[in-house]
């Protein structure tokens, strides 16, 4: 089939860009008279032709770029071309911020339009993962709103500013600042209540839930997620907010091990995002897929989670290419899913490559010792430990020691970052203790390993209760230490059985993690010469394998969008 000829419109754009050096030199003002969507096409063609220096000059002008922010149907193209300018070395973000910040000292009165430009610019920086600049811009918006005076219109704009800033600060791990923003938003809501003018708060409540989620305060995250769902309806503009609320609520359900609720919400979010952005690679769809992968991984649909994470990362790389925090997080989450998926095979090359890419990107674009690095370092350390374990034949001792020492350094660095951000009594800190415990077990430092495991268990039990998945995981690791290395078989037996009880309660009899506890118990009873129990659990293990083979895979990439009110109603029936 022959290629269709270009339209006259496209031919005009092509000619204009081909001669853009001359045209921009002499006809810049005339070009800017064009409608916003036509001017956008001109600039995007400039990006495709790699005329990035000229494009950077144009996009650095706030008046021009604010017009491009209005062309919402080409958002992914704007993000893509903007990221290319950053990679090219342009100071476009700094220029836009400095230009906008001049409103602080301008002699003319502050207009609603000036505030709206800041809200749109801050929102755009949020979408692109440029959170530090989003926060800077939104700080200026806050100042302008407060100078403008208090009326319903300005208070609503101020609340929108806090909504966007809370999101940026939470994701960027600025927890103290996020807490302050939350308090300011609550005060603004109280003022709007007095005027009977409170807007729909579903999106804001979802951001509050997200803040508690990243701080590992899961009960609060779930509480605020339910609040956001109660306010959700089809009339909330834009529809992207509906997707964000569903996504965040699903994540909160996952960490509370409410998998039926989580599945209901995240499949609706994926389906809705797919329909909203059917013909585009769009960040919103990628975000929904990332959270869907999170659900699948935690629900033990590991191979399916890998496929979903791969698709999400492909979308992010299509938009942002390499040097972007969204891409880094995509590599990190895929690395961990691959690590879990290949745990028994030992083929960790792809997992290691993705983890190292994540760390390289974060090192390049984040401040030194940023908390987001802790999670990526943890994933790489886990992978290195498993690679080292596969070198136990004695012929690779030096290489094994090198890998284990690097893993220890990564785990310790991650623990220090977590401790600095969260303190001792936090789930993330406890996870890092547990990871060090496993590593010290591999390094044959058994007493240190036991201390780390006991500390992890104590923190998790205090925060999550005795029957949480995280507690069961740490108990299983301690049982392995007692069983295989410290010859404390009676203690190991009790711990394995407790870990099994937790897994059965949360996941059912087909859960993959049961394999390690069953194998551990078989080893314990073999060492204790308890033949009856050894044969019993050998039979249980055999039955478990049959259940795993018969376990149906989740139907990934759902397409059916249900009526929103039905989804919300069904969710609360499960509470």
């Amino acid at each position: 089939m022959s290629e269709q000829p270009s339209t006259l419109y496209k031919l005009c754009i092509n000619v204009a860009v081909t001669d853009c050096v001359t045209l921009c030199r002499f006809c810049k003002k005339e070009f800017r008279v064009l409608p916003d969507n036509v001017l956008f096409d001109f600039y995007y063609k400039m990006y495709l032709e790699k005329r990035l220096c000229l494009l950077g000059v144009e996009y650095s002008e706030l008046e021009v770029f604010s017009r491009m922010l209005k062309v919402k149907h080409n958002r992914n193209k704007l993000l893509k071309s903007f990221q290319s300018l950053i990679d090219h070395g342009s100071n476009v973000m700094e220029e836009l911020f400095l230009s906008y910040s001049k409103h602080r000292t301008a002699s003319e009165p502050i207009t609603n339009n000036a505030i709206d430009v800041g809200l749109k610019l801050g929102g755009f920086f949020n979408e692109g993962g440029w959170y530090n600049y989003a926060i800077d811009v939104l700080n200026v918006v806050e100042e302008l709103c407060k100078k403008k005076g208090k009326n319903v219109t300005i208070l609503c704009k101020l609340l929108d500013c806090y909504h966007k800033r809370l999101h940026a600060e939470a994701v960027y791990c600025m927890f103290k600042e996020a807490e302050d923003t939350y308090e300011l938003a609550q005060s603004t809501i109280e003022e709007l209540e007095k005027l009977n003018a409170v807007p729909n708060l579903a999106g804001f409540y979802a951001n509050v839930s997200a803040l508690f989620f990243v701080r590992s305060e899961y009960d609060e995250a779930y509480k605020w997620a339910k609040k956001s769902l109660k306010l959700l309806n089809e009339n909330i503009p834009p529809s992207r907010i509906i997707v964000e609320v569903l996504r965040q609520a699903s994540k909160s359900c996952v960490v509370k091990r409410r998998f039926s609720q989580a599945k209901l919400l995240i499949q609706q979010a994926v389906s809705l995002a797919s329909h909203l952005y059917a013909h585009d690679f769009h960040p919103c769809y990628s975000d929904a897929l990332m959270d869907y992968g999170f659900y699948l991984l935690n629900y033990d649909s590991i191979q399916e989670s890998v496929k979903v994470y791969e698709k999400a990362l492909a979308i992010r790389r299509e938009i942002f290419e390499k040097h972007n925090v969204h891409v880094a997080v995509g590599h990190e989450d895929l690395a961990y899913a691959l690590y879990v998926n290949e745990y028994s095979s030992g083929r960790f090359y792809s997992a290691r490559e993705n983890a190292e890419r994540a760390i390289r990107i974060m090192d390049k674009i984040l401040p030194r010792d940023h908390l987001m690095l802790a999670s990526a370092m943890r994933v790489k350390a886990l992978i290195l430990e498993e690679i080292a374990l596969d070198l136990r034949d004695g012929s690779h001792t030096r290489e094994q020691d090198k890998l284990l020492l690097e893993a220890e350094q990564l785990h310790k660095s991650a623990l220090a970052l977590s401790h600095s951000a969260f303190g001792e009594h936090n789930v993330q800190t406890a996870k890092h203790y547990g990871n060090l415990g496993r590593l010290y077990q591999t390094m044959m430092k058994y007493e240190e390993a036991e201390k780390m495991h006991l500390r992890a268990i104590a923190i998790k039990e205090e925060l999550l209760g005795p029957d949480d998945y995280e507690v069961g995981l740490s108990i299983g690791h301690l049982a392995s230490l007692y069983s295989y290395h410290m010859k404390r078989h009676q203690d190991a037996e009790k711990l394995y059985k407790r870990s099994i009880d937790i897994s059965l309660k949360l996941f059912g009899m087909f859960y993959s993690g049961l394999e390690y506890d069953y194998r551990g118990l078989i080893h314990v009873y073999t060492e204790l010469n308890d033949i009856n129990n050894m044969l019993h659990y050998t039979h249980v293990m055999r039955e478990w394998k049959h259940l795993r083979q018969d376990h149906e895979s989740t139907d990934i990439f759902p397409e059916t969008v249900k009526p929103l009110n039905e989804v919300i109603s069904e969710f609360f029936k499960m509470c």
Side-chain angles (χ1 to χ4, degrees):
M1 184 176 177
S2 60
E3 187 176 342
Q4 292 184 345
S6 294
T7 64
L8 180 59
Y9 174 77
K10 287 185 178 179
L11 288 170
C12 291
I13 293 291
N14 291 343
V15 170
V17 172
T18 301
D19 297 331
C20 69
V21 174
T22 303
L23 288 168
C24 288
R25 187 174 294 163
F26 297 108
C27 306
K28 181 179 288 190
K29 291 182 179 179
E30 287 78 0
F31 258 85
R32 293 180 184 176
V33 174
L34 292 171
D36 293 344
N37 61 322
V38 179
L39 189 58
F40 177 88
D41 289 341
F42 172 73
Y43 287 143
Y44 191 68
K45 182 64 177 177
M46 195 181 286
Y47 152 73
L48 293 174
E49 294 292 334
K50 304 299 181 185
R51 300 178 185 272
L52 299 181
C53 290
L54 272 174
L55 183 61
V57 171
E58 290 296 292
Y59 276 6
S60 293
E61 293 195 30
L62 182 60
E63 183 180 351
V64 172
F65 195 72
S66 63
R67 291 176 61 189
M68 298 303 96
L69 293 174
K70 298 176 184 177
V71 188
K72 294 183 179 180
H73 65 282
N74 277 322
R75 192 65 149 198
N76 60 331
K77 292 181 179 179
L78 184 59
L79 288 163
K80 188 172 184 175
S81 57
F82 198 84
Q83 179 68 50
S84 73
L85 295 177
I86 297 169
D87 295 341
H88 187 63
S90 170
N91 290 326
V92 60
M93 286 191 293
E94 183 71 19
E95 293 292 334
L96 287 171
F97 167 68
L98 290 175
S99 181
Y100 186 70
S101 64
K102 290 177 182 177
H103 286 294
R104 284 170 163 163
T105 56
S107 57
E108 62 269 15
I110 297 167
T111 64
N112 287 352
N113 180 65
I115 293 171
D116 289 339
V117 168
L119 290 171
K120 289 175 183 176
L121 185 60
F124 176 77
F125 286 159
N126 263 346
E127 287 178 56
W130 308 299
Y131 300 115
N132 52 332
Y133 281 98
I135 293 164
D136 288 342
V137 168
L138 293 167
N139 286 341
V140 178
V141 173
E142 179 189 26
E143 287 185 38
L144 299 184
C145 287
K146 289 183 174 179
K147 288 180 180 178
K148 180 74 173 170
K150 293 183 180 180
N151 57 53
V152 169
T153 300
I154 296 301
L155 286 172
C156 286
K157 293 181 188 298
L158 184 60
L159 182 59
D160 189 22
C161 170
Y162 291 144
H163 177 168
K164 289 178 168 65
R165 196 170 75 187
L166 179 65
H167 170 78
E169 289 167 342
V171 177
Y172 208 55
C173 305
M174 296 173 63
F175 301 128
K176 178 62 173 67
E177 292 83 353
E179 193 172 322
D180 292 341
T181 298
Y182 165 74
E183 295 293 338
L184 289 166
Q186 289 288 62
S187 298
T188 307
I189 291 168
E190 290 173 6
E191 291 188 65
L192 284 166
E193 284 174 345
K194 295 174 183 176
L195 300 170
N196 294 316
V198 179
N200 190 293
L201 297 174
F204 173 70
Y205 286 168
N207 277 349
V208 177
S209 173
L211 172 61
F212 285 113
F213 181 90
V214 294
R215 292 190 344 194
S216 302
E217 298 176 34
Y218 298 141
D219 288 339
E220 285 294 311
Y222 182 65
K223 182 185 80 174
W224 283 95
K226 287 196 295 182
K227 282 187 172 186
S228 69
L229 287 170
K230 285 179 180 177
L231 296 175
L232 209 56
N233 62 70
E234 300 278 9
N235 299 320
I236 295 177
S239 299
R240 174 180 53 82
I241 289 180
I242 297 176
V243 176
E244 290 175 358
V245 170
L246 293 169
R247 284 176 41 226
Q248 177 54 38
S250 173
K251 287 199 297 184
S252 300
C253 291
V254 168
V255 292
K256 292 293 291 179
R257 307 301 156 185
R258 295 175 175 266
F259 292 112
S260 296
Q261 289 178 311
K263 179 180 179 180
L264 172 72
L265 298 176
I266 195 57
Q267 289 195 336
Q268 177 75 358
V270 171
S271 299
L272 181 56
S274 176
H275 280 72
L276 287 171
Y277 310 106
H279 304 295
D280 283 328
F281 282 88
H282 199 281
C284 183
Y285 183 46
S286 170
D287 292 343
L289 289 175
M290 291 291 291
D291 292 335
Y292 189 32
F294 179 71
Y295 158 76
L296 290 168
L297 184 63
N298 280 272
Y299 190 59
D300 204 34
S301 297
I302 300 166
Q303 292 182 352
E304 290 82 0
S305 77
V306 169
K307 295 174 185 176
V308 171
Y309 277 132
E310 286 175 338
K311 184 171 182 177
L313 177 58
I315 294 171
R316 291 184 170 193
R317 293 193 67 176
E318 171 66 22
I319 299 169
F320 300 110
E321 295 188 4
K322 297 178 181 179
H323 302 128
N324 183 278
V325 71
H326 292 314
V327 177
V329 172
H331 279 299
E332 178 196 329
D333 288 354
L334 176 59
Y336 185 71
L338 287 166
Y339 157 77
V340 176
N341 191 48
E342 300 295 347
Y343 192 78
S344 58
S345 73
R347 297 189 295 270
F348 294 108
Y349 172 79
S350 184
R352 181 178 183 176
E353 182 182 33
N354 276 280
E356 289 177 341
R357 282 183 181 178
I359 292 172
R360 283 199 300 271
I361 295 169
M362 289 182 185
D363 276 337
K364 183 178 179 66
I365 64 177
L366 294 176
R368 187 178 180 183
D369 295 334
H370 193 279
L371 182 62
M372 292 180 78
L373 273 163
S375 180
M377 289 190 294
R378 162 186 167 268
V379 173
K380 182 181 177 182
L382 292 172
I383 294 167
L384 293 181
E385 180 183 350
E386 292 305 316
I387 294 173
L389 281 169
D390 290 337
L391 300 175
R392 287 178 296 184
D393 59 4
S395 61
H396 301 87
T397 304
R398 182 175 297 178
E399 184 179 354
Q400 184 186 42
D401 289 345
K402 182 180 178 182
L403 288 169
L404 292 174
L405 286 172
E406 184 180 354
E408 182 182 20
Q409 183 181 8
L410 288 167
H411 277 317
K412 283 185 172 180
S413 296
L415 174 61
L417 289 173
S418 181
H419 209 285
S420 175
F422 301 117
E424 176 80 359
H425 296 284
N426 183 274
V427 174
Q428 296 305 317
T429 303
K431 285 183 179 181
H432 293 306
Y433 281 131
N435 290 332
L436 272 171
R438 289 182 60 191
L439 179 64
Y440 286 145
Q441 184 175 345
T442 300
M443 297 173 76
M444 295 183 288
K445 299 179 180 180
Y446 302 132
E447 290 185 0
E448 290 103 314
E450 182 186 21
K451 290 177 183 177
M452 294 295 104
H453 285 316
L454 289 172
R455 191 175 295 181
I457 292 168
I459 295 171
K460 289 179 179 180
E461 282 185 329
E462 180 182 344
L463 296 172
L464 304 173
D467 299 322
D468 187 82
Y469 162 76
E470 284 291 340
V471 175
L473 202 62
S474 290
I475 286 171
H477 292 152
L478 181 60
S480 171
L481 175 67
Y482 286 164
S483 174
Y484 290 99
H485 300 294
M486 299 185 79
K487 308 302 178 185
R488 292 170 57 175
H489 299 300
Q490 284 86 359
D491 292 332
E493 177 190 17
K494 294 175 184 176
L495 292 171
Y496 275 131
K497 286 185 174 180
R498 185 179 167 195
S499 178
I500 288 168
D501 287 343
I502 292 172
S503 295
L504 289 173
K505 184 187 298 183
L506 293 175
F507 300 103
M509 299 185 70
F510 54 78
Y511 175 51
S512 63
L514 288 165
E515 176 182 4
Y516 308 104
D517 289 339
Y518 288 148
R519 288 189 187 279
L521 271 179
I522 292 167
H523 175 76
V524 163
Y525 290 127
T526 300
E527 291 294 309
L528 292 174
N529 201 28
D530 187 339
I531 305 301
N532 289 335
N533 272 316
M534 186 271 287
L535 291 174
H536 170 71
Y537 278 99
T538 300
H539 174 72
V540 170
M541 178 86 165
R542 192 178 301 119
E543 290 296 311
W544 169 84
K545 287 182 178 179
H546 289 308
L547 286 170
R548 282 297 296 175
Q549 291 171 359
D550 295 337
H551 178 46
E552 294 183 357
S553 297
T554 305
D555 181 22
I556 59 174
F557 306 123
E559 297 182 354
T560 303
V561 179
K562 300 177 183 178
L564 185 61
N565 62 330
E566 290 183 15
V567 172
I568 304 302
S569 176
E570 189 175 345
F571 172 88
F572 282 104
K573 285 178 182 177
M574 298 178 187
C575 290

